Amino acid sequence: MKGEKSLDSHPETKLRAGALKLPSIMMQGITHIAPAIGLIFSIQFVTSLAGVTTPLSFAIAFVIILTLGFSLNQLARHLPCAGGYYTYVSRTVHPRAGFLTAWLYFLYDPAGTAINLAFMGYFLQQTLNVEYNVFFPWWLFFIIAALLISWLVYRGIELSAEIMLFLGAAEILIVVALVVTGLFQPGNGGINLASYNPANATSMSGLYLGVVFSIFSFTGFESVAPLAEESENPRKNLPKAIIGSILLTGAFYLFCSWALLVGWGTNDLKAFIDCKESPTFVLARKLWGGAWILVLLAVFNSIMAVSIACTNAATRVFYAMGRSESLPRALAKIHPVYQTPMNAIKLQTAITLLLGLGVGFWIGPDQEFFLMAAVTTLGMILVYSAGNLGVYRFYRSEQKAEFNVFFHAIFPFVSTVALIWVGYKSVVPLPQTPICYAPFIVAAWLIIGAALLWIMYRRGRESWLLKAGQAAYEQGVSTDEK
């Protein structure tokens, strides 16, 4: 913008460029998806909805997410910026739409660390009590883990990325080893493919709701985008990492969800659904004996990794919004040694503690997880749809020479329609409490965001909105010049 300095002219607001290579970038997406906890924490609940067709729910979600990944790729190639969907939508649709996208995003990554750590604390409390008669309160684990993760993220992107690589690889190997063991000793029903026949679904509404929670299990691939400014060759590596993380976790979910049900016994799923303890743990003890503790380790690894990934992504979006001054400029302050957004990390730590402990003590840490999972998924349906619209507008207006009818029109349209249809069918009729509150929470949150925009418009204080798109433009230009 004329008369203003480029945002890149302020070295104190720069992150550590080129710090992350492709494996670390891809692991950001994989650990944010959190395949181990996505499977272990959700499969019992999804099975209560979709029955034996739970793997089909994951398969449908995978196809939807893959088309979204292709769409996100098209924006990441030209707009490598820490703001992710916030700057993408601001740049390609409208700054007001970008603000509302960020407003909805606040229900996602900033809340992700809180709900995951709260559920892990609950899970650990229950497991230690049942297995060893030891009481370790969920909130104590929550506080210790939240502060540890904040410290790791504060100390530098390389350190947190290295830890994610180790934790992510460990969780995947342990779970795959367990379900493969189950295939050699299948339960009642033997090895069969009934899981992929929609005629076997408990009900179509149950299958739709199962898809919604399966989509939640896949969310996280987009967390690659906010690390653009810290990635090596972001135009090349970000698209690879986005698609790679979706393909790898898709293969994991499709195989492991099916193999886990086969190992338990597809003719005995009522016991699977009614199991008071995690059925994955029960199966692990049956197959591995005392070595079942490795599965608990996989869950712990997955929770810590996804919490690091959520914190990395959320703080980079806060940083980008502070840099554009759509949030306080102080959030763009970078640590002089670690080159991490220090104030954004402090804000994220406060959100984690207040949300996780507040909602956890209010409705319980387990119910917090399920409620916020539904809220997050419904909110992200709107975020993904806005991104899809941005892809079409960007390539029809600014990148006409590169326009591809499949990547820039058909894929965005089909995935948007699928998301809206699945979201609608999942809340009509309303599901059980507390999940039934999810659509009302999302609607209320969106109305509050729109009201804030209206107030700013009436007061003539919308100029800061334009800076989000400008940030994306300047970052893209600076990358082109390198």
Side-chain angles (χ1 to χ4, degrees):
M1 298 175 70
K2 292 181 180 180
E4 294 184 5
K5 292 182 180 181
S6 166
L7 291 168
D8 283 337
S9 66
H10 299 281
E12 73 275 12
T13 65
K14 286 187 177 181
L15 299 168
R16 191 184 298 277
L20 302 178
K21 299 186 183 301
L22 180 59
S24 296
I25 305 169
M26 186 179 298
M27 193 55 75
Q28 164 73 15
I30 291 172
T31 55
H32 199 304
I33 293 172
I37 60 173
L39 182 74
I40 295 172
F41 283 0
S42 68
I43 192 168
Q44 185 179 23
F45 182 71
V46 175
T47 303
S48 72
L49 302 169
V52 73
T53 58
T54 289
L56 180 60
S57 294
F58 282 109
I60 296 172
F62 168 64
V63 173
I64 294 173
I65 291 295
L66 188 59
T67 60
L68 288 170
F70 281 123
S71 294
L72 181 62
N73 262 354
Q74 306 310 303
L75 296 177
R77 288 173 55 207
H78 288 281
L79 303 172
C81 185
Y85 272 110
Y86 159 61
T87 44
Y88 292 165
V89 175
S90 293
R91 178 77 171 82
T92 60
V93 180
H94 193 278
R96 292 191 187 100
F99 174 81
L100 288 177
T101 298
W103 186 254
L104 287 168
Y105 174 85
F106 291 158
L107 295 172
Y108 178 44
D109 265 331
T113 302
I115 65 175
N116 281 298
L117 291 181
F119 194 86
M120 182 63 205
Y122 165 82
F123 196 70
L124 187 64
Q125 175 182 300
Q126 296 298 107
T127 301
L128 291 177
N129 191 34
V130 171
E131 296 294 331
Y132 305 109
N133 199 29
V134 172
F135 179 73
F136 187 77
W138 70 269
W139 55 265
L140 182 56
F141 168 85
F142 178 93
I143 293 173
I144 295 172
L147 295 179
L148 174 61
I149 287 165
S150 295
W151 179 80
L152 290 173
V153 174
Y154 186 83
R155 284 297 303 268
I157 190 66
E158 297 100 326
L159 175 62
S160 59
E162 288 173 3
I163 292 173
M164 281 193 300
L165 270 170
F166 173 78
L167 296 178
E171 69 174 274
I172 291 172
L173 289 174
I174 292 171
V175 174
V176 169
L178 173 66
V179 299
V180 168
T181 306
L183 290 179
F184 285 101
Q185 303 176 51
N188 185 16
I191 296 178
N192 62 81
L193 296 177
S195 294
Y196 290 102
N197 183 355
N200 294 324
T202 305
S203 68
M204 290 310 295
S205 61
L207 180 60
Y208 283 126
L209 194 57
V211 172
V212 166
F213 277 88
S214 298
I215 289 174
F216 174 71
S217 297
F218 276 102
T219 54
F221 69 92
E222 72 288 329
S223 69
V224 168
L227 301 188
E229 296 174 35
E230 296 160 281
S231 300
E232 181 182 76
N233 196 352
R235 294 183 185 276
K236 179 180 179 181
N237 286 333
L238 259 64
K240 288 182 178 180
I242 291 168
I243 297 301
S245 63
I246 294 173
L247 290 176
L248 287 174
T249 53
F252 174 90
Y253 279 130
L254 267 63
F255 172 72
C256 291
S257 62
W258 167 75
L260 186 59
L261 294 187
V262 168
W264 179 277
T266 54
N267 290 344
D268 195 21
L269 290 187
K270 187 179 186 304
F272 185 90
I273 295 168
D274 295 339
C275 189
K276 298 299 183 182
E277 191 181 359
S278 167
T280 307
F281 280 14
V282 173
L283 182 62
R285 278 197 296 273
K286 173 186 173 183
L287 298 174
W288 285 0
W292 76 272
I293 198 71
L294 291 175
V295 181
L296 179 61
L297 177 63
V299 171
F300 176 79
N301 285 352
S302 190
I303 284 287
M304 297 301 288
V306 67
S307 298
I308 292 172
C310 284
T311 304
N312 275 335
T315 53
R316 270 56 181 183
V317 172
F318 287 147
Y319 157 80
M321 295 184 74
R323 184 174 61 183
S324 70
E325 296 183 12
S326 38
L327 286 180
R329 178 74 178 181
L331 293 175
K333 185 176 182 180
I334 296 296
H335 193 282
V337 177
Y338 306 132
Q339 288 185 263
T340 52
M342 52 191 297
N343 289 338
I345 293 171
K346 293 174 183 176
L347 173 62
Q348 175 58 31
T349 303
I351 291 173
T352 296
L353 292 172
L354 290 173
L355 179 64
L357 294 174
V359 179
F361 280 120
W362 177 34
I363 63 174
D366 56 333
Q367 296 305 308
E368 175 183 6
F369 180 84
F370 292 122
L371 172 61
M372 290 307 297
V375 167
T376 293
T377 303
L378 294 175
M380 289 306 292
I381 284 175
L382 300 177
V383 171
Y384 291 149
S385 298
N388 282 344
L389 175 60
V391 170
Y392 177 78
R393 287 174 57 88
F394 185 66
Y395 280 89
R396 287 299 288 173
S397 59
E398 299 186 42
Q399 300 293 331
K400 291 182 179 180
E402 297 183 28
F403 181 79
N404 181 291
V405 68
F406 286 101
F407 289 143
H408 308 136
I410 294 177
F411 279 3
F413 176 76
V414 170
S415 60
T416 299
V417 170
L419 284 169
I420 293 173
W421 174 253
V422 169
Y424 170 78
K425 296 297 289 186
S426 69
V427 298
V428 180
L430 286 174
Q432 62 186 7
T433 305
I435 302 170
C436 62
Y437 301 125
F440 301 105
I441 292 173
V442 174
W445 188 253
L446 188 59
I447 290 170
I448 293 171
L452 288 175
L453 276 178
W454 183 80
I455 292 171
M456 292 298 171
Y457 169 75
R458 294 287 294 176
R459 294 182 177 180
R461 298 177 59 185
E462 279 192 304
S463 59
W464 53 270
L465 282 173
L466 300 176
K467 297 180 181 180
Q470 178 69 6
Y473 172 75
E474 291 187 352
Q475 183 61 33
V477 169
S478 67
T479 305
D480 282 339
E481 293 172 349
K482 291 178 182 179

